[in-house]
Amino acid sequence: MVKPQHNKHNLNELQKFKVALKGLMLATKSEAHFRFHILAALIIITAGWLMRVSKTDWLWLIAAIGFVLIAELFNTAIEHLVDLVSPEKHPLAGKIKDISAGAVLMASITAAVIGLVILWPYFCSIFN
């Protein structure tokens, strides 16, 4: 018999926060792509700090970083759910995983464009 997972409705706010934090830690430990996106985020944050970007530019950079990390978390959850409900290979399961990965790719491309539009002028001003 499968042990039931925790019922979110029976948890207090601190316990719910701990469950969510556990999810982030699981993704960080087990998902190489999530770790890659965290590393990319740290590089962008460092670049933004060194280039002293404006508050408005920070908001765009933070939104772009969050967008990618959230997309990667959803992709990971979707992939695990697909594996749970369809452990054998199935064309529809493969399509679901491909589309989910495509969402992460779109989020990453969008974030890269935002990062370039924001950081390029700062970068160019260093050499002028």
Side-chain angles (χ1 to χ4, degrees):
M1 183 167 171
V2 176
K3 180 182 171 190
Q5 298 298 313
H6 49 74
N7 184 344
K8 197 169 136 181
H9 300 291
N10 295 334
L11 301 177
N12 65 37
E13 295 307 311
L14 180 60
Q15 290 169 323
K16 290 176 185 178
F17 179 77
K18 287 180 181 179
V19 168
L21 196 56
K22 179 182 175 185
L24 285 175
M25 297 309 295
L26 284 169
T28 303
K29 289 178 183 177
S30 66
E31 300 299 322
H33 289 110
F34 190 70
R35 288 192 302 273
F36 170 80
H37 290 300
I38 289 174
L39 176 62
L42 292 173
I43 291 168
I44 295 302
I45 290 167
T46 301
W49 180 74
L50 290 172
M51 295 180 192
R52 296 190 168 119
V53 300
S54 71
K55 286 182 184 180
T56 303
D57 289 343
W58 270 121
L59 291 174
W60 281 103
L61 292 173
I62 291 165
I65 289 167
F67 186 46
V68 172
L69 294 176
I70 291 166
E72 187 62 52
L73 287 168
F74 276 123
N75 179 52
T76 298
I78 290 167
E79 286 183 350
H80 286 300
L81 181 60
V82 169
D83 289 344
L84 177 67
V85 300
S86 181
E88 67 286 341
K89 282 201 169 218
H90 189 282
L92 187 55
K95 276 186 177 181
I96 292 167
K97 286 183 170 188
D98 291 348
I99 292 168
S100 181
V104 177
L105 179 61
M106 283 302 304
S108 299
I109 291 169
T110 302
V113 170
I114 290 169
L116 281 172
V117 167
I118 289 173
L119 295 177
W120 188 254
Y122 290 98
F123 183 74
C124 288
S125 70
I126 292 171
F127 295 103
N128 287 335

